[in-house]
């Protein structure tokens, strides 16, 4: 595999780097991570990654350049790296709310731009990543699909659904983490120490997710196996629904999607 430059070694950029090495697809020496100062890249260097505070220099020799800065930081970074790029490279943007056309408006219409929307579980190879492009050639889409398949599951979608993918998958992991936290808080209230309550909530959530992944059953089908007649499960479930459980989740995802669509132009 060729070299990768990840511009912006932050939450998602560093997680991607760690996941790619964990997958075995890349060595740490294949990946250059950048931030504005080398002093902020100590952990990355200790792990063996190439580090740089010069985005253009890092991008110049990379086969794949990943843009992993904040939307508000993107334009300046693209202007900095443009002179160093060539048209063989693949530009992968994980930046929320920024279209391929926005990237090409700065980097040049001839560039290959592919958008990816992963989540932070990418660090352990469990990301749900959505990929989209406007006109990248099939071989390059497949190359990026393979890259992200090494760190989780991938769905290739139309670009107009990428803000929805941001909300459901990239933000979505935080929604499920909050649900686990809430379950553990309930556990404490009914008698468990916080550590035990969290361990129990985490494994229960993992069991639910793995049940669906391994059986391909519908969640309600699995719920029907739990809700005994006049039992305690349906009592709890209905109380949650009376208090807007599903509605709150749906409304949160819809608002996230709306916000994700406007981040670049804020
Ligand atoms: N955090 C997440 O779970 C996900 C984030 N994203 C997107 O990824 C991008 C980054 O998000 P986060 O990682 O959460 O933000 P972050 O703030 O943790 O990471 C951004 C990194 O870029 C660095 N940076 C800023 N300006 C720079 C420059 N001029 N040159 C080099 N490095 C620079 C910052 O020091 C920071 O380490 C955003 O556009 C976000 O929408 C997409 C999917 C998931
Ligand atoms: O919260 C955010 O804006 C970024 C995009 C998806 C996850 N984190």
């Amino acid at each position: 595999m060729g070299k990768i430059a990840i511009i912006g070694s932050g939450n998602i950029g560093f997680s991607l780097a760690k996941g790619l090495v964990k997958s075995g697809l890349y060595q740490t020496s294949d990946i250059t991570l950048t931030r504005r100062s080398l002093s902020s890249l100590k952990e990355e260097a200790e792990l063996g990654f190439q580090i740089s505070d010069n985005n253009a220099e890092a991008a110049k020799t990379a086969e794949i350049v990943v843009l992993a800065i904040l939307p508000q930081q993107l334009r300046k970074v693209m202007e900095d790296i443009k002179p160093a790029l060539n048209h063989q490279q693949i530009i992968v943007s994980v930046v929320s709310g920024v279209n391929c056309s926005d990237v090409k408006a700065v980097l040049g219409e001839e560039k290959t731009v592919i958008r990816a929307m992963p989540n932070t579980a990418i660090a352990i190879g469990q990301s749900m990543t959505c990929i989209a492009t406007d006109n990248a050639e099939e071989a390059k889409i497949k190359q990026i699909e393979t890259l992200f398949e090494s760190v989780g599951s991938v769905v290739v979608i139309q670009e107009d659904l990428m803000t929805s993918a941001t909300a459901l998958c990239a933000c979505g992991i935080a929604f499920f983490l909050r649900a686990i936290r809430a379950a553990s808080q309930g556990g404490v209230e009914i008698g468990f120490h916080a550590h035990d309550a969290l361990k129990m909530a985490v494994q229960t959530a993992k069991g639910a997710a793995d049940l669906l992944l391994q059986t391909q059953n519908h969640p309600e089908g699995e719920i029907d196996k739990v809700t005994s007649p006049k039992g305690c499960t349906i009592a709890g479930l209905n109380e949650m629904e009376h208090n807007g459980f599903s509605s709150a989740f749906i409304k949160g995802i819809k608002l996230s999607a709306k916000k994700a669509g406007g981040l670049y132009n804020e």
Side-chain angles (χ1 to χ4, degrees):
M1 304 298 274
K3 303 280 187 196
I4 285 191
I6 299 178
I7 310 299
S9 182
N11 291 324
I12 202 66
F14 194 13
S15 297
L16 170 58
K18 286 185 274 190
L20 288 173
V21 171
K22 185 175 189 294
S23 75
L25 202 60
Y26 286 88
Q27 308 293 322
T28 49
S29 56
D30 301 326
I31 301 174
T32 300
L33 293 163
T34 78
R35 290 188 71 172
R36 283 161 291 195
S37 70
L38 293 177
S39 60
S40 308
L41 290 159
K42 286 197 178 79
E43 187 183 353
E44 290 85 342
E46 283 161 8
L47 289 173
F49 290 104
Q50 306 294 323
I51 61 170
S52 175
D53 60 359
N54 184 325
N55 293 325
E57 204 52 47
K60 193 172 184 177
T61 55
E63 179 192 25
I64 298 171
V65 178
V66 179
L67 302 174
I69 55 272
L70 295 173
Q72 56 270 35
Q73 299 159 340
L74 177 63
R75 178 173 291 279
K76 174 78 174 59
V77 166
M78 289 197 292
E79 285 161 359
D80 289 347
I81 67 173
K82 181 177 181 179
L85 300 178
N86 63 67
H87 63 277
Q88 276 89 21
Q89 291 167 308
I90 303 174
I91 310 298
V92 176
S93 170
V94 301
V95 182
S96 304
V98 179
N99 293 327
C100 294
S101 57
D102 298 320
V103 175
K104 291 198 283 190
V106 178
L107 296 185
E109 292 304 322
E110 79 290 350
K111 293 294 184 304
T112 296
V113 179
I114 296 175
R115 293 179 64 189
M117 196 41 66
N119 62 38
T120 48
I122 203 160
I124 57 166
Q126 292 296 322
S127 179
M128 178 63 248
T129 302
C130 293
I131 285 173
T133 185
D134 57 358
N135 71 345
E137 58 189 70
E138 203 49 46
K140 291 190 173 178
I141 298 170
K142 195 67 200 151
Q143 183 177 352
I144 298 306
E145 199 177 342
T146 303
L147 183 147
F148 281 98
E149 276 170 347
S150 76
V151 284
S153 295
V154 176
V155 174
V156 180
I157 60 175
Q158 293 298 313
E159 186 170 17
D160 62 1
L161 281 174
M162 280 299 268
T163 47
S164 299
T166 303
L168 184 54
C169 306
C171 307
I173 194 164
F175 305 150
F176 289 107
L177 290 166
R178 180 59 57 84
I180 290 169
R181 163 67 174 158
S184 74
Q185 288 174 296
V188 175
E189 195 164 347
I190 57 176
F192 296 105
H193 285 291
H195 172 75
D196 293 334
L198 183 58
K199 179 181 178 179
M200 294 157 90
V202 168
Q203 179 55 42
T204 302
K206 182 180 184 310
D210 284 350
L211 254 181
L212 300 184
L213 285 169
Q214 293 181 27
T215 65
Q216 292 299 301
N217 289 342
H218 190 284
E220 290 306 324
E222 290 302 326
I223 287 171
D224 288 347
K225 296 176 185 172
V226 185
T227 50
S228 309
K230 292 182 76 174
C232 47
T233 305
I234 193 62
L237 271 179
N238 287 348
E239 179 66 10
M240 290 176 191
E241 292 302 345
H242 292 322
N243 287 281
F245 176 77
S246 294
S247 178
F249 226 93
I250 293 162
K251 285 180 178 177
I253 286 170
K254 285 174 69 177
L255 182 61
S256 264
K258 189 176 174 191
K259 176 79 175 176
L263 287 170
Y264 187 50
N265 302 310
E266 270 191 352

